[in-house]
Each structure stands twice: as structure tokens, then as C-alpha cells.
Amino acid sequence: MDEDDGMQTAPPPDTEFVVLSDDVLTSVANATNFLLEGSEVEKLAVLYQFPQFLEHCPNDTLEIMVPEITREVGRWSSNVQMAAAEALFFVVTSNITPPTAKRICVAALRIVDTCQSGEVFDAWGEILSMTLPHVTRDDVMKLVVPSIKARVASPNPEARRLVARSIGALAQSPPHAPLTPDEVEELFLDAALTLCADSDPSVRAMIAQSLAALGSELPMRVCEFHLWPRLEHLLQDDNSRVRAAALRAWARSAEA
């Protein structure tokens, strides 16, 4: 899934449909029980209705259904996990509370630990990255940073691409308790420089996009001696996508 693509809650082709009863459609608690106890098709039916539940009963959806989704999603099939990620996209794009963000973050970390690669990994990796600005500083340091940094040397480009994307999000989060410039340097600089020389062009393109966010949080001396030379090198990359990402990052850095 490309970074700029928004998730859409829609059933895949050839999906068997279940018509939900009024008791389910009009009660988040009933819908949540149906989600937990139903078959795969019934779970999918509830998840495809998630945006409506969130729109019409936001408090109940966030307090009842979302915690159960994040608790149980690791046990579901890949189809249901994908639908759950698409549903939670509507949550992480809103102004969620730190407890909700932590639940989603923990669930996303579990999924990416289990999947390692593929569509489900990419979908939950996107959910993770979008959740990070809402996670508390303590949870970022204890839960997220160790997990993300452990993937820098992963043999899977999907995992390294997730690190590259997360570095940009982590450098600027959480806004209510931001990391200091020295902490950003200590936690992310070495990983970012390593990924700039990654063998996979999609990883290099992703870290190029993150360099602008990372650079805005680093001391100027670090940017001048470490970050900007790597960005200049990426501007001359053999891959056109990497060059384009580097150019966008350079432009954003100039604006800042």
C-alpha cells in the first residue's frame, strides 16, 4: 500500500455478504458481540459497517468496539485483519486519546511482528505510523522505539521500509511531549543514515521522505555534517522514485 493511498472500507471481490439485523446495526455493544462470536463473514460484515458506528456512536465505538478489535485481531484470519486495519484507519485519522492510541499501537506491533511482510503487514504498518503522533512519550520510548530499531537490519525490505517511515513520524511525536534534539539524534540518526544506503529503492525513497521531518528536529550541526550530504547523494540516486522523494524532502527542508 502506497503511503499516499487512503484506506477504504470495502469488501474484496467475491465476498459473501451477511445482512446485519437491526439489533446489531443500532447497538455498538451488540455489534461488538457479533464481531467477537461470529464467523469470518459475520466479522467482516461488522467491520465494513465500522465507519457508520464511529460516525453515529463515536464514544461507544471507541470505548467498546475498538478495545475488542485491538485485543482479538491477532487471532483473526488475514482477511479479517485487513478489514480491521481498514476500519481503524478512520480512528487514527481523528484526534484520538493516548489510551486508544496505545491499544492500536500495541495491536499493530503484534501484527507486524507476526506477518513480517505482505499486504496485512503494510496495512498495519501504516496504522502504526499514523498512530504514533497520538502515543505518549513513555509508550513511544518503551514500546515503539525498541521494536522499530530492531528492524533496521531485517532481511525483509517491507520491515526496513516500515522503519524508514516510522522514523519520520517518531521524530516529531508525541507533540504533547516531544523528544529533545539530542534524543532524536541518539535514537534515529544512525538508523536513518544506514537506510539511506539500503539496497532496496523503496526503502531509500521512504527514508528520503522522512529526512525532512527528522532534520527539522535535529541540531543544525548534525544536519550539516550528516543528514544533508546523504540527502544530496539521494538526489543523484539511480532510481527515479528515490530522486523524486529526495527532491520533495529538500523542498520541505528549504521551506522550514
Side-chain angles (χ1 to χ4, degrees):
M1 183 176 301
D2 293 336
E3 181 187 16
D4 295 331
D5 290 345
M7 292 187 182
Q8 300 295 325
T9 301
D14 303 322
T15 297
E16 180 183 351
F17 285 93
V18 169
V19 178
L20 300 177
S21 68
D22 288 343
D23 287 343
V24 173
L25 288 172
T26 57
S27 168
V28 173
N30 290 345
T32 302
N33 288 333
F34 198 71
L35 173 66
L36 298 177
E37 299 174 4
S39 65
E40 176 170 326
V41 175
E42 291 167 337
K43 286 178 169 56
L44 290 171
V46 173
L47 291 170
Y48 295 148
Q49 292 297 320
F50 183 90
Q52 284 68 45
F53 288 120
L54 185 62
E55 179 181 359
H56 297 291
C57 306
N59 291 336
D60 283 352
T61 302
L62 293 173
E63 294 173 6
I64 298 173
M65 187 177 290
V66 169
E68 293 298 337
I69 291 174
T70 56
R71 183 171 64 88
E72 295 294 326
V73 68
R75 306 177 187 180
W76 294 342
S77 71
S78 59
N79 285 340
V80 182
Q81 289 176 344
M82 193 71 180
E86 292 170 345
L88 291 177
F89 173 81
F90 294 93
V91 177
V92 300
T93 53
S94 63
N95 188 23
I96 57 177
T97 63
T100 298
K102 181 177 180 178
R103 292 189 188 100
I104 297 174
C105 179
V106 170
L109 288 171
R110 288 200 196 106
I111 296 295
V112 298
D113 280 341
T114 302
C115 295
Q116 299 298 321
S117 62
E119 288 185 348
V120 173
F121 179 94
D122 286 342
W124 280 92
E126 181 168 356
I127 292 296
L128 175 63
S129 297
M130 297 177 71
T131 304
L132 294 178
H134 307 285
V135 179
T136 66
R137 175 192 175 90
D138 286 346
D139 288 334
V140 164
M141 299 295 285
K142 293 177 182 177
L143 299 175
V144 183
V145 170
S147 178
I148 292 300
K149 292 184 70 175
R151 291 180 168 82
V152 174
S154 170
N156 297 320
E158 293 94 337
R160 302 196 303 275
R161 189 165 60 245
L162 173 61
V163 177
R165 178 172 184 178
S166 298
I167 284 175
L170 286 167
Q172 296 185 318
S173 69
H176 50 279
L179 300 173
T180 67
D182 287 342
E183 287 174 327
V184 172
E185 178 182 358
E186 179 182 355
L187 292 171
F188 307 123
L189 179 61
D190 287 345
L193 297 179
T194 297
L195 295 173
C196 284
D198 196 273
S199 60
D200 190 285
S202 69
V203 177
R204 299 197 303 276
M206 187 61 74
I207 193 61
Q209 294 182 43
S210 293
L211 287 183
L214 182 62
S216 68
E217 303 301 321
L218 286 171
M220 182 57 66
R221 59 173 177 79
V222 176
C223 294
E224 291 177 346
F225 287 101
H226 297 288
L227 223 57
W228 302 153
R230 294 300 178 97
L231 187 56
E232 289 179 3
H233 183 75
L234 291 173
L235 286 167
Q236 303 173 38
D237 197 275
D238 292 337
N239 185 277
S240 60
R241 181 182 175 189
V242 176
R243 294 196 302 272
L247 184 60
R248 289 193 296 269
W250 191 272
R252 288 196 298 269
S253 299
E255 291 173 359

